[in-house]
Structures are given as C-alpha cells and as structure tokens.
Amino acid sequence: MRLIVGLGNPGPEYARTPHNLGFRVVDRLAERAGIRVTRPEAQAYVGFGTIVGHEVALAKPQTYMNASGRSVRDLI
C-alpha cells in the first residue's frame, strides 16, 4: 500500500490558500478514483482505494502545517 499525504491547514479560512495545495491534490485524486477521504485516523482524514492498480491510502492531516509530521508518523 502507498500512502499519499496532502499537507494543509484545517479550517475554512485556509481553504483557498497556497498552504492547502496538498489538500486540493488529495481531493482531486480522491474524486478521480472514487475514494472518500472522510475516515478520522491519526489526526487526519483518510480514504482507501485503488489508483492505477495500486492500493493507496489518501490522507489529509488535520494538524497545522508545522505539526503535520506527528500525523504522518502515526499514519505510517
């Protein structure tokens, strides 16, 4: 399984900022692959599925950008 993590800051005030480009990439991948990234796990929202024949976990940490390493560590 491959883990794809999109970094960003939680909250609507950050939704369209450059810091949330990672969230937007994960959203686009999820949309194209039919994956719902809604499962709360390890301080992130996670979704599981298949992209181009590979099992993937898509994740959007719900910590602020500078603290995202904790969430990623727990996901790994």
Side-chain angles (χ1 to χ4, degrees):
M1 177 169 297
R2 297 166 193 240
L3 173 62
I4 300 171
V5 179
L7 300 182
N9 286 324
E13 66 271 25
Y14 299 106
R16 303 299 273 167
T17 66
H19 270 55
N20 277 23
L21 181 60
F23 279 7
R24 291 169 45 199
V25 168
V26 165
D27 289 342
R28 180 68 57 93
L29 288 170
E31 180 182 316
R32 289 183 178 184
I35 299 171
R36 293 181 53 204
V37 183
T38 57
R39 178 177 166 178
E41 187 173 322
Q43 297 180 11
Y45 290 123
V46 182
F48 298 94
T50 304
I51 297 177
V52 192
H54 297 280
E55 290 184 27
V56 298
L58 300 177
K60 295 175 12 179
Q62 296 302 293
T63 58
Y64 285 95
M65 189 71 119
N66 294 337
S68 60
R70 285 183 246 143
S71 176
V72 173
R73 177 194 63 216
D74 291 345
L75 289 166
I76 290 171

